[in-house]
Amino acid sequence: MANVPGFHAVKDQVFADLGLYQQLSGLYDGQWLSGEGRPRVAVHSPINGEWLADIAVGDENDYDRLLERAWSSFEEWSLVPAPKRGEVIRAIGDRLREYVDSLGLLVTLEVGKTPVEGKGEVQEMIDIADFAVGLSRQLYGMTIASERRHHRLYEQWHPHGVVGVITAFNFPCAVWSWNAFIASVIGNVVVWKPAPESALTAIATTNVVNDVLDEHGLPPLFFLAVDGGGEMGRRMSADRRLPLLSFTGSVGTGREVAARVGKRLGRSILELGGNNAAIVTPDADMEIALRGVAFGALATAAQRCTTTRRLILHESLFDSFLPRLVEAYTTVGVGSPLDPDVLVGPLINKRAVESYAAAIGQAEKAGGRVLVGNARLELAGLEGGNYVAPTLIEGLPPDSAIVAEETFAPILYVLGYGDLDEAFAIHNCVPQGLSSAIFSNNLREVEAFLSVVGSDCGLASVNTGTAGAEIGGAFGGEKDTGGGRESGSDAWKAYARRQTVTVNYGVELPLAQGVTFDVN
Ligand code: NAD
């Protein structure tokens, strides 16, 4: 670990830059809740298991007060003209630019991403802030030709009110910003419940953005309610005061959330697990394919919703492509993300390490052969960390139970195919439908993959991997991934309620469809 910046030096610097302490409040309702006598959630670093901070969490009364304040902020904020709201989001984006390094490194300490990925997470917040600024002048409604004389028919978009956002640990601030900046530029106010594992990043981000609002003399718009394991999320799911709830997390939790929100006939945006595959055909550029598959399967220690979990490889490539992939898996640097030679950091916690081991065990039982990996790693100086060896497994039937599951760990199943129809059948046979890729320079193969008989996912990529989406496109997936869309394109419409307006400016009352109704 020569030349690796020390964990403690980084931690001290980051805590100082962001004004963090080891005892913090996890509830922001316009002010930070006092931690006195409150239950606390401990945050540990997955890098070495070290305790980072204790976070005080609020109870039901605190949550109710927070909701009241959020609605009161909405009354003021929703009347600010949208382009003026955009100016505020621009100032927030500018402030975040000052914190790219410190917030990025906090992401590293708290969830184990490499610093370049940690900073990328903050950059994504800045990018979506820029997008939201543009959007603030483009919240267009459609005008429709009316069938009635002297009538005008058009659509307009209003904010929902207070929007709930529940996020997963693996994108500790970027996913919140996709929701928060788009929702707020439309006029909504946001209540955020982050994953307990990444509560520090949420607290630091909330601090940075609300400071800007304070400076603009605005009420708080970005509320925060950390919990220890689901109670706040359950409350939010059942709460009619949150007309829209955006949930990012696993399929299992998402099902529960969807049922609760559905029961009260609320709206939800569901961004759930993926089980993403890359197809590599004989016509691929093998250098691009190798790097694309390796990045997709290994980046963020395979803890991305878009991680490549299945490689669908043409049978003719098993003797050439596969050995190179095995070599990449054998030599890739695994360890502290603060080490510049490391590309694969730790898993988030011990439970994730257990799931990794259990999945490999199940795969072996089902006839899978481990080509490389299958080891828990005890690394010198990082004894409390959660490290595992990236693993490649071949020989499993594509529809076996373990392949159909998303294991949030670096395990890549290699599945062979003969013709393209078979590749598509394998590709689409899992319950999830988030991200997909084909590596091929053959126009027919590529267009077939993008056609209705090809990928059934929300994201389809050609000659680039399944991971690493840009904010400009709408992000989300089909089937068990939940069907939600966030981020760019016209995903903003989910954060607004559509109102169809009919105006009669004539002196008669013609009815639609030629109906007559003469009361005298
Ligand atoms: P998770 O489902 O365990 O938790 C997600 C969030 O839900 C956390 O904030 C958690 O505290 C909260 N939660 C837990 N129980 C709850 C309940 N009963 N009601 C409401 N909320 C509850 O997921 P995770 O382990 O934090 O994250 C990994 C998962 O998230 C993976 O499946 C990954 O694919 C998925 N994910 C999806 C996307 C996407 O955009 N599709 C993005 C990132 C992560």
Side-chain angles (χ1 to χ4, degrees), residues 318 363 366-371 393-398 400 403 413-416:
F318 269 65
R369 284 183 303 282
V370 173
L371 298 175
I393 297 180
E394 70 159 337
L396 282 170
S400 48
V403 177
Y413 300 108
V414 184
L415 312 165

Side-chain angles (χ1 to χ4, degrees), residues 143-161:
T143 300
I144 302 118
S146 172
E147 67 188 48
R148 286 174 278 177
R149 184 185 290 263
H150 295 145
H151 276 58
R152 189 155 71 88
L153 190 57
Y154 69 95
E155 288 176 343
Q156 57 179 356
W157 299 85
H158 289 309
H160 286 295

Side-chain angles (χ1 to χ4, degrees), residues 166-171 175 178 193-197 227-235 237 245 247-254 256-257 260 270-274 303-306 309 348 351 406 408 434 475-477 481 486:
I166 299 178
T167 54
F169 80 85
N170 66 325
F171 280 96
V175 165
W178 293 357
K193 197 221 77 71
E197 298 88 345
D227 68 358
E231 60 281 4
M232 202 61 91
R234 278 191 285 275
R235 215 169 268 146
S237 311
L245 183 66
F247 175 83
T248 303
S250 58
V251 172
T253 317
E256 211 184 307
V257 167
R260 282 208 172 81
L270 298 172
E271 296 286 353
L272 312 180
Q303 297 170 110
R304 291 187 183 213
C305 49
T306 51
R309 308 211 177 270
I348 189 69
R351 215 174 46 245
E406 178 201 46
F408 226 49
L434 180 53
F475 183 94
T481 303
E486 289 176 359

Side-chain angles (χ1 to χ4, degrees), residues 103 106-108 110-111 113 121 125 167-177 192 194-195 197-203 205:
L103 267 177
L106 180 60
V107 170
T108 297
E110 196 176 29
V111 303
K113 290 190 183 195
E121 174 106 2
M125 289 205 280
T167 54
F169 80 85
N170 66 325
F171 280 96
C173 51
V175 165
W176 166 78
S177 70
W192 181 13
E197 298 88 345
S198 55
L200 271 177
T201 305
I203 290 170
T205 306

